[in-house]
Amino acid sequence: MHADVSNVDAWVQSGIITPEQARLIGEFEQPRPRGSIVRDILGYVGATLVLIAGAIIVAETWGDMDRGARVLVAIGAAGALVAAGLALDRTGDPTARRVAATSLMLGAAPAGFACGLVVDIWTESDVAVAAGFIAAVLYSVGWYVTRRSWAQHIALVASVTGAVLSIGAVAVADDMWITGVALALVGTGWLVASSSDRLPPRLLAEAGGLITLGTGSLITVGGLDGAFARTWMAVWIATSLIVAIHGVRRDRMVLVAGGIGGLIIYVPWLLVEAFGEGIGVPLALLGVGATLITGAVILARRASST
């Protein structure tokens, strides 16, 4: 059963929903042909088996290859995935286009790997891994700009995260907390862009921003101790509150869940670091939580009575 979406254009013009949301509604409500789910499953499973087989074959012979041969294998794998993706995309079939998006997404890995191998041959330095991730970022950006699909968004998030971590491992290896801050800033930027629909699909942008921000915050705190660590815990608690409040105001449950998750991690952690272990900390949290819930219930009742 499908909803009436005849007024979607009017909703966009009145500002109720964004053009991107209208497109997603149209795709969701469009009836799928019988058997399309089976075709999807067969396509994804078949592509996965081919990739696994190829990886096993390459792994068996990798040690016997020279560097040039390894580069050619990586380039060939990237080229094959891109060619398959473009060929499937041109068919116009929805199932084929979804598999095509996945194929183009997976191409980021061998493309970046090939670039890393080339840099390693030329320089034999630690920057090869970072160069590979940067190449994957450029690859992913290129396809994301032209496709704006969920698959390209996943590749973009993964490659940017890898690039920040690998650059940090080379540039500030002894101060990984700096890398954590940089990664958290990237995640924050992702969330800001998602709120204005600049990085569709919006749900993936929010999830990617939260994952990147959360990973960066953990790296930051994990690389510090003492008062400096407690200061950054407080920063991440404030950030989590802002994210949760923004999610409530925009009715975005992914953001609410992410903000609450940050509070669950960092509030107890900060209290234990500041006051030590004991029953007092959880009892204080219990009292504050019960008070907040009571306040929410009172406000809800007042709102319903007016």
Side-chain angles (χ1 to χ4, degrees):
M1 183 176 181
H2 295 274
D4 181 10
V5 294
S6 58
N7 294 322
V8 166
D9 292 337
W11 298 342
V12 174
Q13 293 175 2
S14 61
I16 298 175
I17 61 175
T18 65
E20 172 64 17
Q21 290 171 329
R23 183 185 67 80
L24 293 174
I25 290 172
E27 291 182 357
F28 180 79
E29 293 296 339
Q30 183 178 7
R32 296 186 67 177
R34 182 173 298 178
S36 63
I37 296 178
V38 175
R39 292 202 305 271
D40 276 9
I41 294 173
L42 292 176
Y44 288 128
V45 173
T48 302
L49 292 177
V50 170
L51 288 173
I52 292 174
I56 293 173
I57 293 171
V58 170
E60 290 291 332
T61 58
W62 190 258
D64 299 327
M65 295 182 188
D66 58 23
R67 289 182 172 183
R70 292 176 180 179
V71 172
L72 291 177
V73 168
I75 293 175
L81 287 168
V82 171
L86 293 176
L88 289 167
D89 187 70
R90 291 194 185 99
T91 64
D93 179 72
T95 299
R97 298 190 74 172
R98 285 189 287 271
V99 178
T102 304
S103 180
L104 293 174
M105 172 189 72
L106 295 174
F113 189 51
C115 180
L117 288 173
V118 172
V119 172
D120 184 57
I121 292 173
W122 284 349
T123 64
E124 294 187 354
S125 66
D126 295 334
V127 302
V129 175
F133 275 111
I134 293 172
V137 170
L138 297 176
Y139 172 98
S140 302
V141 168
W143 287 116
Y144 178 75
V145 169
T146 58
R147 306 283 165 161
R148 296 294 178 109
S149 72
W150 62 269
Q152 274 63 59
H153 202 128
I154 292 175
L156 189 57
V157 171
S159 57
V160 168
T161 301
V164 174
L165 292 175
S166 58
I167 291 172
V170 175
V172 287
D174 296 330
D175 295 300
M176 281 303 292
W177 69 271
I178 298 176
T179 302
V181 173
L183 188 60
L185 289 174
V186 170
T188 303
W190 223 282
L191 290 176
V192 171
S194 72
S195 65
S196 57
D197 283 329
R198 293 178 181 174
L199 288 173
R202 186 173 184 179
L203 180 61
L204 269 178
E206 292 171 344
L210 288 172
I211 292 171
T212 308
L213 172 58
T215 303
S217 69
L218 289 172
I219 293 174
T220 302
V221 176
L224 299 169
D225 53 24
F228 207 8
R230 291 193 293 271
T231 299
W232 277 105
M233 288 180 194
V235 170
W236 300 135
I237 289 172
T239 303
S240 299
L241 276 172
I242 293 172
V243 170
I245 292 170
H246 181 70
V248 171
R249 294 183 62 185
R250 294 294 187 93
D251 195 23
R252 303 297 299 176
M253 293 308 299
V254 173
L255 298 181
V256 174
I260 292 174
L263 294 175
I264 290 174
I265 292 172
Y266 287 112
V267 169
W269 195 352
L270 177 59
L271 291 176
V272 169
E273 286 288 328
F275 303 107
E277 298 180 356
I279 195 65
V281 170
L283 285 178
L285 289 175
L286 182 63
V288 173
T291 302
L292 294 175
I293 293 173
T294 302
V297 172
I298 293 172
L299 291 174
R301 288 180 176 176
R302 287 181 179 178
S304 62
S305 63
T306 57

